Amino acid sequence: PITFNAGAGVTMTFAGTNLSVDEFNNVTFNSTAAITYTMATRGLRLGGALSITDTATTVGLTTSNLALTAGSVTIGTNGTLTAGSSTITLTGTGTVWTSTSGTFTSGTSTVVASTTSTITSGTSFANFTTNAGLTVTFSSGLTFTGAFTANSATVAVTGDVSVDAVGAYINFSTSTWTVTGSWTNAST
């Protein structure tokens, strides 16, 4: 695993699509002070896990509207992921998104589940898309403020669904939904 552990804010340029393979496997963004890592020029492509966490101070990753691909994303204690208008593609299986103690600032970003997976999140997504034919489980409810595109997927939500903004919508396609909590729709 690679751990970035800076003492001051850092702007980072990754290879992005200039490489035909993943640039890293597992990456952790940590810090020795309250800082933000900012992506510049090109996106980041990981084959494994992305972790943004710090037990003592706050640490953030700002995508600067660039693409981010990872097997899984964990926004841990004191971690912040600021997505802007980025597309974040999750390629792993099992639990691919965990954000129960960190902060996800979604902006107008789109999170894409490209495999059958589980999302554990206490935060709100702007836009969420599933690839066709998948099963995606939201184990801590689902809140979103933009478009949810199900693409003929099976969607299971343990907890509540909240369509949390005027103009937000779900493109059900031919998807199947199971919700064990309540359904709140602020959209018109």
Side-chain angles (χ1 to χ4, degrees):
I2 303 292
T3 299
F4 294 107
N5 194 15
V10 177
T11 299
M12 305 178 84
T13 300
F14 297 104
T17 58
N18 288 344
L19 286 178
S20 60
V21 296
D22 298 327
E23 186 164 4
F24 302 107
N25 192 30
N26 299 317
V27 172
T28 298
F29 287 92
N30 203 333
S31 68
T32 58
I35 68 157
T36 298
Y37 295 91
T38 303
M39 292 170 49
T41 310
R42 292 183 288 279
L44 174 59
R45 195 168 92 187
L46 307 176
L50 169 65
S51 178
I52 306 162
T53 188
D54 194 314
T55 57
T57 62
T58 58
V59 60
L61 175 63
T62 299
T63 61
S64 303
N65 306 324
L66 299 169
L68 175 63
T69 300
S72 65
V73 172
T74 299
I75 307 168
T77 303
N78 297 321
T80 299
L81 176 57
T82 303
S85 63
S86 295
T87 297
I88 300 170
T89 303
L90 306 170
T91 60
T93 58
T95 300
V96 296
W97 184 278
T98 303
S99 176
T100 55
S101 60
T103 302
F104 177 55
T105 304
S106 61
T108 59
S109 66
T110 300
V111 174
V112 178
S114 64
T115 61
T116 292
S117 52
T118 299
I119 309 295
T120 302
S121 178
T123 60
S124 177
F125 295 101
N127 301 292
F128 199 96
T129 299
T130 67
N131 285 356
L134 303 178
T135 298
V136 179
T137 302
F138 292 85
S139 64
S140 298
L142 168 62
T143 301
F144 66 96
T145 59
F148 189 106
T149 305
N151 286 324
S152 304
T154 299
V155 179
V157 181
T158 302
D160 300 335
V161 172
S162 180
V163 182
D164 217 18
V166 172
Y169 65 93
I170 297 174
N171 178 351
F172 287 101
S173 183
T174 57
S175 61
T176 302
W177 284 64
T178 304
V179 178
T180 62
S182 63
W183 190 288
T184 305
N185 188 354
S187 184
T188 55

